[in-house]
Amino acid sequence: MQAPSNPTGRLGIADSNECRCSKCNRLLFKGQVKYIEIQCPKCNLVQTIKKGRSLRLIALNASNVDLYYAAGGQLIGRPTTMALPPELMEKIKDVPAVGETPCPNIEQIIALKPDLVLATDIHLRQPIVSTLEKAGIPVYLQRLDSFQQISQALRFYGELTDHPAQASQVIDRLDNRLQQAQAKSKNKPAPRVLIVWGSLENFYMALPNSFTGDLIGRLNAINVAEGVATQAMPYAPLSLEFTGQAEPDLILLISHSYEQKVSDKIRYELMVHPAWQKLKAVQQNQVYQLPYQLFAVNPASRVDAAIDYLSKLFYPEPPG
């Protein structure tokens, strides 16, 4: 989990729990949150928020909303979004919307007087962060690019909401579902998978550092785009020439838009391309449109549904 964006914001922690990076095992944070000390970047006042105090938090993307409520919290502000399930949308219907994730309403956020703003570092532009910090509002930036980072966020939010047991129950549910899916893949051929992420303007291949790429690796499938980029990037431009050489068994499509007509158009534009029609996956009808709410955005506490969806595609039960 990434540290708060402002270098003076500090998390006071104590005791025993540890969260480590799933890749390099570096210690990310240790202990249980007992209080938070946040130094105002405007006037340098240090504010201590003790555990048990009702925190005034705003989340700026759907994944943070989902995880914070899954950990027993409530928000005073949330994004304008269509990426949450109906039951959660019902819970937050009376919570003021502060605009869409890439361009929130700064004046409204400031007027709500939050103790902390939750955001992911891939969506929020630095000028927005700087403006909020100058107004004395700290922003907590984090990455949610992997299954492990979902667990880390849940554990941290459980401490903030003073409901660590509730957060742990969600973590255990997700871990158990992943283990079940991994057991299902044992002694079965690993499918070769291409993930295409696209809009009407551009198409990209999802790499192992993307969220869906991380799930594919954990389910023991092969991402044919692995190694395409020399840097640790989540996506790379789609190359139909490369795709023809990689010869994937399955092609998964992720649309940037929740509108079905956009998804249909993206699929059509790919399917009618001469190079695409030569692919075995296309000829054998192994091209799948992934659900927007589970894959276009991080599904957060619903990642078990995303795991089930992929597992059924990769390792289908024999007929009869």
Side-chain angles (χ1 to χ4, degrees):
M1 184 178 296
Q2 186 168 324
S5 59
N6 54 306
T8 56
R10 299 188 298 278
L11 297 179
I13 54 179
D15 296 332
S16 58
N17 292 338
E18 290 186 356
C19 276
R20 293 182 176 273
C21 175
S22 60
K23 183 176 181 181
C24 69
N25 202 41
R26 180 176 178 176
L27 181 66
L28 301 175
F29 71 84
K30 182 177 181 180
Q32 295 179 334
V33 175
K34 298 300 183 185
Y35 63 89
I36 303 174
E37 285 184 357
I38 302 175
Q39 185 174 20
C40 174
K42 183 178 181 180
C43 67
N44 293 323
L45 174 68
V46 176
Q47 180 182 5
T48 299
I49 304 174
K50 294 184 179 180
K51 190 173 177 179
R53 176 189 183 277
S54 180
L55 299 180
R56 296 178 56 81
L57 265 66
I58 293 175
L60 295 185
N61 73 324
S63 302
N64 287 122
V65 174
D66 181 297
L67 292 170
Y68 198 70
Y69 275 79
Q74 293 185 341
L75 297 168
I76 64 164
R78 50 90 172 181
T80 303
T81 179
M82 299 291 291
L84 293 169
E87 60 272 18
L88 185 50
M89 289 299 298
E90 179 64 23
K91 287 183 179 180
I92 65 172
K93 66 180 181 180
D94 295 327
V95 177
V98 296
E100 297 184 353
T101 296
C103 50
N105 186 322
I106 303 299
E107 292 182 358
Q108 187 177 8
I109 293 174
I110 294 174
L112 289 172
K113 299 180 180 179
D115 296 313
L116 191 64
V117 171
L118 304 174
T120 56
D121 63 350
I122 62 171
H123 291 123
L124 202 61
R125 296 189 298 272
Q126 185 56 44
I128 296 176
V129 176
S130 299
T131 300
L132 291 174
E133 291 177 345
K134 288 178 181 178
I137 299 173
V139 180
Y140 190 86
L141 292 177
Q142 62 189 144
R143 298 195 69 87
L144 291 174
D145 296 335
S146 70
F147 180 88
Q148 183 66 25
Q149 288 169 343
I150 288 178
S151 296
Q152 292 165 358
L154 280 167
R155 194 174 303 280
F156 177 61
Y157 291 170
E159 295 296 337
L160 287 183
T161 62
D162 204 19
H163 293 95
Q166 180 171 330
S168 293
Q169 288 178 353
V170 179
I171 293 170
D172 290 344
R173 171 172 59 82
L174 301 182
D175 286 344
N176 290 337
R177 192 65 61 88
L178 177 61
Q179 292 169 10
Q180 291 170 6
Q182 289 173 332
K184 182 180 177 181
S185 70
K186 285 186 177 180
N187 302 320
K188 294 184 178 179
R192 295 173 56 79
V193 182
L194 171 69
I195 316 126
V196 179
W197 186 93
S199 63
L200 292 178
E201 294 79 24
N202 299 291
F203 296 102
Y204 297 89
M205 299 180 289
L207 305 180
N209 287 323
S210 68
F211 182 79
T212 306
D214 176 73
L215 288 187
I216 284 176
R218 291 178 187 273
L219 293 175
N220 302 318
I222 298 171
N223 186 343
V224 299
E226 184 173 2
V228 168
T230 56
Q231 299 178 343
M233 302 292 290
Y235 299 94
L238 174 65
S239 165
L240 290 177
E241 181 181 358
F242 167 82
T243 304
Q245 296 172 351
E247 198 61 74
D249 299 314
L250 296 93
I251 299 174
L252 310 180
L253 305 180
I254 304 174
S255 172
H256 184 54
S257 173
Y258 61 85
E259 295 186 31
Q260 187 60 46
K261 63 181 180 181
V262 175
S263 299
D264 292 342
K265 187 172 183 179
I266 290 172
R267 181 186 181 95
Y268 174 79
E269 290 186 1
L270 288 172
M271 297 294 279
V272 299
H273 195 287
W276 201 259
Q277 292 177 345
K278 296 178 182 178
L279 296 176
K280 179 180 66 175
V282 174
Q283 295 172 354
Q284 296 182 354
N285 199 29
Q286 294 296 303
V287 180
Y288 300 94
Q289 181 77 48
L290 298 184
Y292 174 84
Q293 289 189 340
L294 294 180
F295 295 96
V297 294
N298 186 305
S301 69
R302 296 168 291 141
V303 67
D304 52 345
I307 290 170
D308 285 347
Y309 194 96
L310 292 177
S311 181
K312 290 176 182 177
L313 291 180
F314 298 164
Y315 310 104
E317 297 292 338

